Amino acid sequence: MVLKFLIFLATIHGLFTSFTEAVRFDLESGSTKCISEDIKSNSMTVGNYRIVNPNEPHHFHPSSAEQTHQPLPESHKLTVRVTATSGNSYHYADHVQNGQFSFQAVEAGDYMTCFWAVDQTPPATLTIDFDWKSGVATKDWSNVAKKGSIDAMEIEVKKLYETVTSIHEEMFYLREREEEMQELNKATNSKMGWLSLLSLMICLSVSGMQLWHLKSFFEKKKLI
């Protein structure tokens, strides 16, 4: 029974951590691309980004983001900004080839990371690696193991426990967001109903005024 439970937790852990893998995308010079992430309040979030050197192997290690086989051209630069839905800025870097950010989310909601490639002639396509982790995925378990002198099995159990706890909290958070969206939909539908009724009344009033005006016009001309 315990083995089945651990397998179940491991499956959940695999599904959960799969959302924290690095992404790679292309960005044309002079254009912008934004990536959003829904983050709970008081959650820790960490991001690493860099322009991929075409002369290096096609894999991404955030810890070695600055180590490339050959230097990138000076024209290969990025401007990066991380903002919350409220508009508050949490990170800004101008004309960089790589960088990282980390902060604790003060407000819950969508956080957006936007990359802008410097315009250049002739145009170029930049390949960017971006690794963005939030919540339990940001925890350094190697340091936990060293500080606590905990064996491998205990570390895995602690990781699974914190992952399940995080998923449980995420479910409640998503439920709260769903309730907020339902309330917003109800309020929007109510406002649209009143607006439709008001529009109908205005149309009927205008039609009545037009009929009255035509009737008066025809009476003056003695056509009726």
Side-chain angles (χ1 to χ4, degrees):
M1 190 67 183
V2 175
L3 180 59
K4 291 182 179 179
F5 180 69
L6 289 177
I7 293 175
F8 171 72
L9 291 181
T11 303
I12 294 177
H13 180 262
L15 291 173
F16 182 76
T17 55
S18 64
F19 292 103
T20 64
E21 294 179 354
V23 294
R24 175 172 288 191
F25 58 91
D26 292 332
L27 184 63
E28 300 290 337
S29 56
S31 60
T32 303
K33 182 177 181 62
C34 295
I35 299 174
S36 64
E37 180 78 10
D38 188 7
I39 303 177
K40 297 182 297 182
S41 60
N42 299 321
S43 292
M44 189 66 187
T45 184
V46 177
N48 292 276
Y49 55 88
R50 65 157 189 159
I51 301 175
V52 177
N53 193 317
N55 299 313
E56 72 177 9
H58 295 286
H59 58 270
F60 177 45
H61 296 289
S63 60
S64 60
E66 297 182 1
Q67 297 179 2
T68 56
H69 297 287
Q70 295 181 8
L72 283 166
E74 285 298 320
S75 58
H76 283 49
K77 300 287 186 178
L78 287 172
T79 297
V80 184
R81 183 186 295 274
V82 182
T83 56
T85 306
S86 61
N88 293 331
S89 179
Y90 286 83
H91 173 75
Y92 178 77
D94 189 28
H95 287 69
V96 296
Q97 295 180 336
N98 57 74
Q100 62 182 9
F101 59 84
S102 62
F103 59 87
Q104 187 171 8
V106 177
E107 49 196 328
D110 289 330
Y111 285 73
M112 186 171 293
T113 302
C114 290
F115 299 87
W116 179 74
V118 176
D119 198 4
Q120 55 180 301
T121 303
T125 299
L126 308 182
T127 300
I128 300 170
D129 273 329
F130 182 39
D131 185 23
W132 197 357
K133 299 179 181 179
S134 299
V136 67
T138 63
K139 194 162 186 177
D140 189 354
W141 290 102
S142 59
N143 289 335
V144 173
K146 291 177 183 178
K147 293 178 181 178
S149 299
I150 306 174
D151 59 32
M153 188 63 181
E154 289 175 319
I155 282 291
E156 288 301 319
V157 171
K158 284 181 67 67
K159 289 167 67 176
L160 293 174
Y161 174 76
E162 291 211 11
T163 299
V164 171
T165 302
S166 178
I167 293 174
H168 188 255
E169 294 176 352
E170 185 71 18
M171 290 175 63
F172 279 103
Y173 172 69
L174 292 176
R175 184 179 299 176
E176 291 177 359
R177 292 294 298 270
E178 182 181 2
E179 291 176 355
E180 291 177 0
M181 291 302 296
Q182 289 178 352
E183 292 296 327
L184 179 60
N185 288 336
K186 289 179 181 178
T188 303
N189 291 335
S190 178
K191 292 178 180 178
M192 289 300 296
W194 283 108
L195 181 60
S196 299
L197 182 60
L198 179 61
S199 300
L200 179 60
M201 293 177 63
I202 292 174
C203 290
L204 291 175
S205 300
V206 171
S207 299
M209 291 179 64
Q210 288 178 339
L211 288 174
W212 176 80
H213 178 72
L214 288 173
K215 183 180 178 182
S216 301
F217 175 77
F218 289 142
E219 287 178 349
K220 289 180 179 180
K221 297 294 183 179
K222 297 181 180 181
L223 297 177
I224 59 173

